């Protein structure tokens, strides 16, 4: 009789209980999610840009891009830590 119903042997007397554990996520700091604002060109009326003004503006733009890249890099590190936990 036991050999005729092997599925009863596997599930008949056991019970499983599923319990969910909340995941602990590292919050992303607000300083990393604030926008990197583009600086205005120095000494410009907002309509035209002279070559001399562009030369002064380029380092400001590169600094803004660098800030945004550092923010994104820090967010990637936080995400990698979340995945590895």
């Amino acid at each position: 009789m036991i050999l005729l119903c092997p599925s009863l042997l596997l599930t008949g007397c056991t019970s499983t209980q599923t319990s969910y554990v909340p995941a602990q996520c590292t919050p992303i700091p607000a300083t990393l999610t604030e926008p990197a604002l583009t600086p205005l060109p120095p000494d410009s009326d907002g309509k035209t840009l002279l070559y001399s003004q562009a030369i002064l503006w380029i380092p400001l733009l590169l600094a803004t891009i660098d800030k945004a890249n550092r923010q994104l890099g820090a967010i990637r590190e936080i995400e990698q830590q979340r995945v590895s936990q």
Side-chain angles (χ1 to χ4, degrees):
M1 171 90 174
I2 293 175
L3 295 175
L4 296 176
C5 300
S7 64
L8 291 176
L9 293 174
L10 297 175
T11 60
C13 297
T14 61
S15 64
T16 58
Q17 182 179 6
T18 303
S19 62
Y20 297 97
V21 179
Q24 296 179 352
C25 294
T26 306
I28 296 175
T31 57
L32 296 179
T33 58
E34 66 186 20
L37 301 175
T38 306
L40 296 174
D43 301 330
S44 174
D45 61 359
K47 297 179 184 175
T48 59
L49 185 65
L50 300 175
Y51 180 75
S52 60
Q53 294 168 334
I55 290 173
L56 297 174
W57 193 29
I58 289 172
L60 299 174
L61 293 173
L62 291 175
T64 303
I65 292 171
D66 186 48
K67 177 185 176 187
N69 284 337
R70 281 187 274 120
Q71 288 175 333
L72 291 173
I75 291 171
R76 281 189 204 104
E77 288 178 13
I78 291 171
E79 289 296 324
Q80 286 176 352
Q81 289 173 358
R82 285 183 184 176
V83 170
S84 66
Q85 288 179 351

